[in-house]
Amino acid sequence: MVRRGGRGRGAEKRERILRAAIKIFSHKGFFNSKISDIARSAGVADGTIYLYFKNKDDLLISLFEEKMAEVVADVRGRVAAGNGALSRLKIFIENHMSLLVREAGLIEVLQVELRQSNKFMKEYVPVKFLEYLDVISEILELGKREGTFRRDLNVTMARRAVFGALDEIALAYVLSRKRKYDPADAAAEIYRMFAEGLCTTAQNREGRT
Amino acid sequence: MVRRGGRGRGAEKRERILRAAIKIFSHKGFFNSKISDIARSAGVADGTIYLYFKNKDDLLISLFEEKMAEVVADVRGRVAAGNGALSRLKIFIENHMSLLVREAGLIEVLQVELRQSNKFMKEYVPVKFLEYLDVISEILELGKREGTFRRDLNVTMARRAVFGALDEIALAYVLSRKRKYDPADAAAEIYRMFAEGLCTTAQNREGRT
DNA sequence: CCCTCTTGAATGAATCGTCATTCACCAAGA
DNA sequence: TCTTGGTGAATGACGATTCATTCAAGAGGG
């Protein structure tokens, strides 16, 4: 007997479906994707998907939560290796941009569908996504304690700003077929922008308005 | 005779439809919105919408382009009043956040639907949105010429970062029913983040890795 | 060791709603 | 009367979800 929840063959099939969903959703978008597309790509029957997921929405949300959980666990490990807030921030940014290559499909789905789901599925709280933001918060808090970051830095705001900048640049990368720049270079640029700001050294002390 | 293109009564009806579309799309999202919802809200028949727009996609895209054109023209005027890049950047940021109040519906539609359309309607190039980004570019270029901003600042990257930060913070504002913060305060915070960076003064000269 | 029998996963064709879009028809102004 | 914008019911497609049926594999009795 095959159990669907555990580690058995059922789990492997579930995983196949999730991977297929990422592929199809990232190519055509959630609303333009047919369950039958996903089923075909996963090599299962349409009905089989409903043995593992309640419905199409549930498939999308499971995908978000389960894949983001992996990403969060992974980045937490990497970030912990950095010493000091600046080093950790750098690692976080580099990791996010490298996800563009390692997990292109997942990132694409998140970029376009997460906002939709977040806004229109009233019951859905993107737990794992918020945890991802928490990783940024922790870095910023550390920096404040260390004295690296301004004491009056608004962390709730700043973490959104950091994520937003990363996300928008990642989006531009994904959308431009020509791949104008290298994600690693982009990461370095973004890091500098936040660490140093936009201004020259001279301006930094007088630029306040 | 009523001409649909020009300034006549036709234009007024078209405008009503666009406004209704913003309202409905922002509430329920593009794919969950029915043409009949929009028609009812605009006080016209379903078929009338097809006299003014080719189809549902065209309605969304017209909405993007026409409303963004207004926003771009408006912000260009405001920004021009600032003297110096920092002042202009501040104005741009403040204006964007104030749109959250003035044009809430439009901003919400842009936030969730623009990415979709941009990615999945292959023919669609978001001309007016790119112009909005250009306004940021111009400010950044000015700053470089002035010597306010770093000469090695990558403008293509930085403009995305600025927009991304604004957009993400605006999104958080829209999604949080409780309205935790004031858009004007948020604007000030974002401005500082870009002008000064995250670091304290002391760290600013050694924070490079 | 072989032959039922039972169980439940997997299948995929049929169902049932849901809209976007169309178009035959109406009314009001010229 | 003729023109044209406007109407909204009817159409046609599409696609998520269901469910009657199939099938494989273990259980157990002889």
Side-chain angles (χ1 to χ4, degrees):
Chain A
M1 194 250 279
V2 175
R3 55 185 65 261
R4 281 174 294 170
R7 292 291 106 216
R9 284 233 342 285
E12 178 263 347
K13 185 162 290 189
R14 183 191 164 91
E15 184 61 27
R16 274 223 313 283
I17 295 171
L18 280 177
R19 257 198 291 276
I22 291 178
K23 182 169 158 193
I24 303 293
F25 287 159
S26 70
H27 276 316
K28 326 183 31 166
F30 178 74
F31 285 102
N32 299 314
S33 299
K34 294 175 254 193
I35 286 290
S36 57
D37 291 341
I38 296 170
R40 184 159 355 95
S41 168
V44 301
D46 294 12
T48 305
I49 290 181
Y50 290 86
L51 297 176
Y52 293 90
F53 303 94
K54 192 150 66 64
N55 54 34
K56 200 183 170 190
D57 283 5
D58 182 48
L59 176 54
L60 180 66
I61 286 175
S62 303
L63 186 165
F64 284 159
E65 292 300 307
E66 293 175 30
K67 293 298 167 188
M68 272 308 280
E70 294 173 18
V71 168
V72 168
D74 179 67
V75 74
R76 274 225 155 91
R78 289 167 196 265
V79 157
N83 56 318
L86 277 172
S87 156
R88 290 186 176 191
L89 180 63
K90 190 156 186 285
I91 293 171
F92 184 90
I93 291 174
E94 282 167 352
N95 183 68
H96 188 95
M97 295 308 287
S98 87
L99 283 176
L100 273 187
V101 183
R102 286 187 282 140
E103 299 275 11
L106 175 61
I107 294 289
E108 289 179 41
V109 176
L110 285 175
Q111 281 176 336
V112 288
E113 310 301 342
L114 182 60
R115 292 184 171 201
Q116 290 270 353
S117 320
N118 203 356
K119 184 156 202 283
F120 301 118
M121 298 181 184
K122 318 217 178 324
E123 346 68 56
Y124 172 53
V125 180
V127 179
K128 290 298 166 183
F129 170 71
L130 293 173
E131 254 182 57
Y132 192 63
L133 291 185
D134 283 341
V135 177
I136 307 180
S137 297
E138 287 157 19
I139 295 173
L140 297 177
E141 297 288 9
L142 171 65
K144 286 172 75 167
R145 264 181 278 122
E146 280 178 1
T148 318
F149 294 152
R150 299 194 323 255
R151 220 165 265 298
D152 60 355
L153 189 71
N154 180 333
V155 170
T156 346
M157 205 111 276
R159 73 174 185 173
R160 288 276 178 182
V162 170
F163 177 79
L166 283 171
D167 190 48
E168 182 70 27
I169 287 173
L171 183 69
Y173 179 78
V174 164
L175 290 181
S176 82
R177 281 274 151 275
K178 357 223 182 111
R179 300 285 181 270
K180 285 197 268 273
Y181 51 81
D182 177 55
D185 296 344
E189 190 74 28
I190 300 167
Y191 170 72
R192 276 194 75 188
M193 236 153 13
F194 280 103
E196 302 174 29
L198 302 174
C199 295
T200 57
T201 309
Q203 292 295 325
N204 242 327
R205 297 301 98 227
E206 41 172 312
R208 322 244 171 115
T209 310
Chain B
M1 196 251 280
V2 175
R3 56 184 64 262
R4 282 173 294 169
R7 292 290 104 215
R9 281 230 346 284
E12 178 263 349
K13 185 161 292 189
R14 181 190 165 92
E15 184 61 27
R16 276 224 313 282
I17 295 172
L18 280 178
R19 257 199 291 276
I22 291 178
K23 182 169 159 193
I24 303 293
F25 287 160
S26 70
H27 276 316
K28 327 185 26 166
F30 178 74
F31 286 102
N32 299 313
S33 299
K34 293 175 256 193
I35 287 291
S36 57
D37 291 341
I38 297 169
R40 184 160 354 95
S41 169
V44 301
D46 294 12
T48 306
I49 290 181
Y50 290 86
L51 297 176
Y52 293 90
F53 303 94
K54 191 150 68 65
N55 53 34
K56 200 182 170 190
D57 282 5
D58 182 48
L59 175 54
L60 180 65
I61 285 175
S62 303
L63 186 165
F64 284 158
E65 293 300 308
E66 293 174 31
K67 292 300 167 185
M68 271 308 280
E70 293 173 18
V71 168
V72 168
D74 180 66
V75 75
R76 273 227 156 89
R78 289 169 196 263
V79 157
N83 57 317
L86 278 172
S87 156
R88 290 186 175 191
L89 180 63
K90 190 155 186 285
I91 293 171
F92 183 90
I93 291 174
E94 283 167 352
N95 183 68
H96 188 95
M97 294 309 287
S98 88
L99 284 176
L100 274 187
V101 183
R102 285 186 282 140
E103 297 276 12
L106 175 61
I107 294 289
E108 290 179 42
V109 176
L110 286 175
Q111 281 176 335
V112 289
E113 309 301 342
L114 182 59
R115 291 184 171 202
Q116 290 270 352
S117 319
N118 203 354
K119 185 157 201 285
F120 300 118
M121 298 180 183
K122 318 218 179 324
E123 346 66 56
Y124 173 54
V125 179
V127 179
K128 289 298 167 185
F129 170 71
L130 293 173
E131 253 183 58
Y132 192 63
L133 290 185
D134 283 341
V135 177
I136 307 181
S137 297
E138 286 157 19
I139 295 173
L140 297 177
E141 296 287 8
L142 171 65
K144 286 172 76 168
R145 262 181 279 122
E146 280 178 3
T148 318
F149 294 153
R150 299 195 320 258
R151 219 164 268 297
D152 59 357
L153 189 72
N154 181 332
V155 171
T156 347
M157 205 112 275
R159 71 172 186 175
R160 288 277 177 181
V162 170
F163 176 79
L166 283 171
D167 189 49
E168 182 69 28
I169 287 173
L171 183 69
Y173 179 77
V174 164
L175 290 181
S176 82
R177 281 275 151 276
K178 359 226 180 106
R179 298 286 182 270
K180 286 197 269 271
Y181 51 79
D182 177 54
D185 296 343
E189 190 73 28
I190 299 168
Y191 170 71
R192 275 194 73 189
M193 235 155 13
F194 281 104
E196 301 175 28
L198 303 174
C199 295
T200 58
T201 309
Q203 292 294 327
N204 243 324
R205 296 301 97 231
E206 40 172 313
R208 322 242 170 119
T209 310

